[in-house]
Amino acid sequence: MKISSLNILINQASVLNKKFYFISGNEKTLMEKIKTIIVKSFQDKENVQIKNIETISDFVDEVGLFEDKNIYIVNGNKGINIEALDNLRSSESYFIFLQENSQKIKKIKNLFSLDEDSYLIDCYELDRESKIKILNEFIKVNKLKISQDVYWYLVDKLDSKYIFFEKNLIKVLELGEKNITMDKIKKVLTIDESGKERIFFSLLQRNK
């Protein structure tokens, strides 16, 4: 079944009831964030070991040390079909698939969207509504007070790529103050309207 990445970002405890998680889209930093949230959710609940495999054909069912469960991070889509998923259901392990969007995975995404034991999670750049919901939750959880001017400044100016959006929210928190003014915001935040920060990030991704 399908679940929004925003739902997972805001309601992190809601991700614990599935065996398969297919994370896709074109926003790599949000895909990594969603993966981290899912892994941490399991780690908070039980002992798990993280294992990386290229395709599900590389999966070997094994019990971890002290009967720990395993989370398999699957980086390729080769061999994914209903029969393969059915063969994995009896395992005690969990599976997280990471795939950028392409026409080649359209059928695979449909498979996960129809499967009751799966979450299909699409990750794209944050739109205005998503920024508002994340910011509202951030303010609520951290009990911050900000003016309307500051609020809409953050919504309008913070980057739509998740890694930069989150980085700047952390800077706000590191101010250590509950009453956040515009002067304080402009002193600590990196608002790069030229796009240089994005270009640098893209170069880093290509060189990995």
Side-chain angles (χ1 to χ4, degrees):
M1 60 184 293
K2 197 167 185 177
I3 185 173
S4 74
S5 55
L6 185 63
N7 190 343
I8 294 176
L9 285 171
I10 294 175
N11 306 302
Q12 299 188 10
S14 68
V15 304
L16 281 173
N17 58 346
K18 304 295 179 185
K19 176 173 278 296
F20 306 114
Y21 301 84
F22 193 89
I23 306 171
S24 185
N26 59 15
E27 216 288 61
K28 290 183 180 180
T29 72
L30 183 54
M31 291 171 65
E32 286 295 323
K33 178 66 177 183
I34 295 300
K35 180 191 76 172
T36 299
I37 289 174
I38 295 171
V39 169
K40 185 178 185 304
S41 296
F42 280 112
Q43 288 174 330
D44 289 344
K45 184 180 179 182
E46 54 191 323
N47 292 324
V48 294
Q49 295 187 51
I50 312 302
K51 297 179 180 291
N52 288 275
I53 57 177
E54 190 57 34
T55 69
I56 54 176
S57 61
D58 298 323
F59 168 70
V60 177
D61 199 3
E62 54 186 20
V63 178
L65 292 173
F66 312 111
E67 298 186 350
D68 292 348
K69 292 184 178 179
N70 296 318
I71 297 178
Y72 285 87
I73 311 296
V74 187
N75 297 305
N77 58 54
K78 185 179 179 181
I80 299 176
N81 52 48
I82 187 63
E83 292 79 14
L85 294 186
D86 286 342
N87 289 336
L88 297 176
R89 292 185 203 279
S90 60
S91 166
E92 291 293 315
S93 301
Y94 305 102
F95 300 85
I96 300 175
F97 301 84
L98 286 171
Q99 282 290 297
E100 286 190 73
N101 262 358
S102 75
Q103 284 297 317
K104 294 179 180 179
I105 66 169
K106 191 173 181 180
K107 289 183 179 179
I108 294 173
K109 290 179 68 171
N110 188 55
L111 172 66
F112 282 100
S113 71
L114 296 174
D115 189 90
E116 289 296 322
D117 206 17
S118 303
Y119 273 145
L120 170 64
I121 309 151
D122 280 326
C123 298
Y124 301 104
E125 291 195 359
L126 302 175
D127 57 20
R128 185 178 174 84
E129 182 181 354
S130 297
K131 288 182 182 182
I132 288 172
K133 289 181 179 179
I134 295 171
L135 183 57
N136 286 346
E137 183 70 10
F138 175 78
I139 292 169
K140 176 184 173 182
V141 169
N142 294 291
K143 299 178 180 178
L144 300 177
K145 292 182 180 180
I146 64 175
S147 67
Q148 284 195 15
D149 287 346
V150 171
Y151 180 89
W152 292 115
Y153 178 83
L154 292 173
V155 170
D156 292 334
K157 297 297 184 181
L158 291 187
D159 204 287
S160 56
K161 191 173 286 292
Y162 186 81
I163 189 172
F164 302 132
F165 187 86
E166 181 183 57
K167 185 197 307 182
N168 278 317
L169 288 186
I170 291 171
K171 287 181 181 179
V172 172
L173 200 58
E174 288 174 346
L175 282 170
E177 300 181 28
K178 297 299 181 182
N179 190 18
I180 308 299
T181 66
M182 184 67 79
D183 286 342
K184 293 171 184 174
I185 286 292
K186 289 186 174 181
K187 285 180 181 178
V188 300
L189 294 193
T190 303
I191 307 296
D192 185 3
E193 298 183 24
S194 68
K196 291 179 182 177
E197 191 173 26
R198 279 169 166 262
I199 293 170
F200 178 68
F201 174 80
S202 297
L203 290 173
L204 282 178
Q205 290 295 106
R206 289 175 194 167
N207 291 332
K208 281 186 176 181

mmCIF file of all heavy atoms in Angstrom, residues 187-204:
data_model
loop_
_atom_site.group_PDB
_atom_site.id
_atom_site.type_symbol
_atom_site.label_atom_id
_atom_site.label_comp_id
_atom_site.label_asym_id
_atom_site.label_seq_id
_atom_site.Cartn_x
_atom_site.Cartn_y
_atom_site.Cartn_z
ATOM 1 N N LYS A 187 20.605 35.693 10.919
ATOM 2 C CA LYS A 187 22.003 35.562 11.328
ATOM 3 C C LYS A 187 22.495 34.122 11.256
ATOM 4 O O LYS A 187 23.675 33.878 10.993
ATOM 5 C CB LYS A 187 22.189 36.096 12.753
ATOM 6 C CG LYS A 187 22.176 37.610 12.848
ATOM 7 C CD LYS A 187 22.356 38.053 14.292
ATOM 8 C CE LYS A 187 22.310 39.584 14.400
ATOM 9 N NZ LYS A 187 22.427 40.038 15.819
ATOM 10 N N VAL A 188 21.607 33.177 11.498
ATOM 11 C CA VAL A 188 22.062 31.784 11.609
ATOM 12 C C VAL A 188 21.752 30.924 10.397
ATOM 13 O O VAL A 188 22.401 29.907 10.171
ATOM 14 C CB VAL A 188 21.473 31.088 12.867
ATOM 15 C CG1 VAL A 188 21.892 31.807 14.127
ATOM 16 C CG2 VAL A 188 19.964 30.969 12.776
ATOM 17 N N LEU A 189 20.759 31.312 9.583
ATOM 18 C CA LEU A 189 20.366 30.441 8.488
ATOM 19 C C LEU A 189 21.165 30.686 7.215
ATOM 20 O O LEU A 189 21.571 31.808 6.925
ATOM 21 C CB LEU A 189 18.879 30.608 8.175
ATOM 22 C CG LEU A 189 17.903 30.165 9.258
ATOM 23 C CD1 LEU A 189 16.507 30.082 8.689
ATOM 24 C CD2 LEU A 189 18.298 28.827 9.870
ATOM 25 N N THR A 190 21.349 29.609 6.468
ATOM 26 C CA THR A 190 21.989 29.693 5.163
ATOM 27 C C THR A 190 20.893 29.677 4.109
ATOM 28 O O THR A 190 20.351 28.626 3.765
ATOM 29 C CB THR A 190 22.928 28.489 4.942
ATOM 30 O OG1 THR A 190 23.888 28.445 5.995
ATOM 31 C CG2 THR A 190 23.642 28.614 3.613
ATOM 32 N N ILE A 191 20.544 30.842 3.608
ATOM 33 C CA ILE A 191 19.536 30.948 2.560
ATOM 34 C C ILE A 191 20.254 31.276 1.264
ATOM 35 O O ILE A 191 20.600 32.416 0.986
ATOM 36 C CB ILE A 191 18.488 32.039 2.876
ATOM 37 C CG1 ILE A 191 17.883 31.810 4.267
ATOM 38 C CG2 ILE A 191 17.418 32.066 1.803
ATOM 39 C CD1 ILE A 191 17.096 30.527 4.399
ATOM 40 N N ASP A 192 20.548 30.233 0.497
ATOM 41 C CA ASP A 192 21.314 30.408 -0.736
ATOM 42 C C ASP A 192 20.372 30.473 -1.922
ATOM 43 O O ASP A 192 19.963 29.456 -2.467
ATOM 44 C CB ASP A 192 22.293 29.233 -0.896
ATOM 45 C CG ASP A 192 23.204 29.417 -2.096
ATOM 46 O OD1 ASP A 192 23.099 30.466 -2.750
ATOM 47 O OD2 ASP A 192 23.999 28.518 -2.373
ATOM 48 N N GLU A 193 19.987 31.686 -2.302
ATOM 49 C CA GLU A 193 19.038 31.844 -3.395
ATOM 50 C C GLU A 193 19.710 31.727 -4.761
ATOM 51 O O GLU A 193 19.049 31.707 -5.790
ATOM 52 C CB GLU A 193 18.323 33.193 -3.262
ATOM 53 C CG GLU A 193 17.525 33.291 -1.973
ATOM 54 C CD GLU A 193 16.761 34.603 -1.868
ATOM 55 O OE1 GLU A 193 16.479 35.191 -2.913
ATOM 56 O OE2 GLU A 193 16.461 35.027 -0.742
ATOM 57 N N SER A 194 21.017 31.645 -4.785
ATOM 58 C CA SER A 194 21.723 31.537 -6.064
ATOM 59 C C SER A 194 21.764 30.107 -6.584
ATOM 60 O O SER A 194 22.061 29.859 -7.739
ATOM 61 C CB SER A 194 23.169 32.035 -5.900
ATOM 62 O OG SER A 194 23.905 31.143 -5.077
ATOM 63 N N GLY A 195 21.479 29.141 -5.680
ATOM 64 C CA GLY A 195 21.514 27.738 -6.095
ATOM 65 C C GLY A 195 22.884 27.100 -5.998
ATOM 66 O O GLY A 195 23.065 25.951 -6.358
ATOM 67 N N LYS A 196 23.901 27.844 -5.499
ATOM 68 C CA LYS A 196 25.255 27.297 -5.416
ATOM 69 C C LYS A 196 25.315 26.079 -4.507
ATOM 70 O O LYS A 196 26.042 25.131 -4.760
ATOM 71 C CB LYS A 196 26.214 28.381 -4.917
ATOM 72 C CG LYS A 196 26.447 29.507 -5.918
ATOM 73 C CD LYS A 196 27.387 30.553 -5.348
ATOM 74 C CE LYS A 196 27.594 31.706 -6.331
ATOM 75 N NZ LYS A 196 28.450 32.770 -5.775
ATOM 76 N N GLU A 197 24.544 26.125 -3.407
ATOM 77 C CA GLU A 197 24.565 25.016 -2.469
ATOM 78 C C GLU A 197 24.054 23.742 -3.144
ATOM 79 O O GLU A 197 24.601 22.666 -2.958
ATOM 80 C CB GLU A 197 23.707 25.355 -1.251
ATOM 81 C CG GLU A 197 23.873 24.381 -0.100
ATOM 82 C CD GLU A 197 23.147 24.852 1.148
ATOM 83 O OE1 GLU A 197 22.165 25.614 1.025
ATOM 84 O OE2 GLU A 197 23.564 24.456 2.244
ATOM 85 N N ARG A 198 23.000 23.882 -3.961
ATOM 86 C CA ARG A 198 22.458 22.733 -4.672
ATOM 87 C C ARG A 198 23.464 22.182 -5.679
ATOM 88 O O ARG A 198 23.613 20.979 -5.847
ATOM 89 C CB ARG A 198 21.190 23.132 -5.428
ATOM 90 C CG ARG A 198 19.941 23.183 -4.569
ATOM 91 C CD ARG A 198 18.810 23.837 -5.332
ATOM 92 N NE ARG A 198 17.558 23.596 -4.658
ATOM 93 C CZ ARG A 198 16.715 22.632 -5.008
ATOM 94 N NH1 ARG A 198 17.000 21.830 -6.001
ATOM 95 N NH2 ARG A 198 15.585 22.457 -4.360
ATOM 96 N N ILE A 199 24.158 23.079 -6.394
ATOM 97 C CA ILE A 199 25.145 22.646 -7.386
ATOM 98 C C ILE A 199 26.265 21.861 -6.707
ATOM 99 O O ILE A 199 26.686 20.807 -7.178
ATOM 100 C CB ILE A 199 25.724 23.861 -8.140
ATOM 101 C CG1 ILE A 199 24.630 24.512 -9.002
ATOM 102 C CG2 ILE A 199 26.907 23.456 -9.003
ATOM 103 C CD1 ILE A 199 25.029 25.849 -9.591
ATOM 104 N N PHE A 200 26.730 22.356 -5.559
ATOM 105 C CA PHE A 200 27.784 21.678 -4.813
ATOM 106 C C PHE A 200 27.313 20.298 -4.371
ATOM 107 O O PHE A 200 28.042 19.312 -4.485
ATOM 108 C CB PHE A 200 28.159 22.519 -3.588
ATOM 109 C CG PHE A 200 29.222 21.879 -2.726
ATOM 110 C CD1 PHE A 200 30.522 21.737 -3.183
ATOM 111 C CD2 PHE A 200 28.916 21.423 -1.459
ATOM 112 C CE1 PHE A 200 31.497 21.147 -2.400
ATOM 113 C CE2 PHE A 200 29.886 20.833 -0.665
ATOM 114 C CZ PHE A 200 31.178 20.694 -1.137
ATOM 115 N N PHE A 201 26.052 20.211 -3.892
ATOM 116 C CA PHE A 201 25.498 18.929 -3.466
ATOM 117 C C PHE A 201 25.440 17.952 -4.637
ATOM 118 O O PHE A 201 25.793 16.784 -4.503
ATOM 119 C CB PHE A 201 24.103 19.134 -2.879
ATOM 120 C CG PHE A 201 23.409 17.847 -2.538
ATOM 121 C CD1 PHE A 201 23.712 17.171 -1.371
ATOM 122 C CD2 PHE A 201 22.461 17.306 -3.391
ATOM 123 C CE1 PHE A 201 23.077 15.974 -1.062
ATOM 124 C CE2 PHE A 201 21.831 16.124 -3.092
ATOM 125 C CZ PHE A 201 22.135 15.449 -1.925
ATOM 126 N N SER A 202 24.993 18.439 -5.804
ATOM 127 C CA SER A 202 24.886 17.573 -6.980
ATOM 128 C C SER A 202 26.250 17.036 -7.400
ATOM 129 O O SER A 202 26.398 15.875 -7.782
ATOM 130 C CB SER A 202 24.264 18.350 -8.145
ATOM 131 O OG SER A 202 22.958 18.749 -7.829
ATOM 132 N N LEU A 203 27.282 17.863 -7.312
ATOM 133 C CA LEU A 203 28.636 17.425 -7.647
ATOM 134 C C LEU A 203 29.112 16.349 -6.683
ATOM 135 O O LEU A 203 29.756 15.365 -7.084
ATOM 136 C CB LEU A 203 29.596 18.618 -7.633
ATOM 137 C CG LEU A 203 29.428 19.640 -8.771
ATOM 138 C CD1 LEU A 203 30.304 20.844 -8.538
ATOM 139 C CD2 LEU A 203 29.740 18.990 -10.124
ATOM 140 N N LEU A 204 28.784 16.510 -5.404
ATOM 141 C CA LEU A 204 29.172 15.510 -4.416
ATOM 142 C C LEU A 204 28.511 14.171 -4.736
ATOM 143 O O LEU A 204 29.130 13.116 -4.639
ATOM 144 C CB LEU A 204 28.756 15.964 -3.009
ATOM 145 C CG LEU A 204 29.644 17.007 -2.332
ATOM 146 C CD1 LEU A 204 29.062 17.376 -0.972
ATOM 147 C CD2 LEU A 204 31.075 16.499 -2.161
#
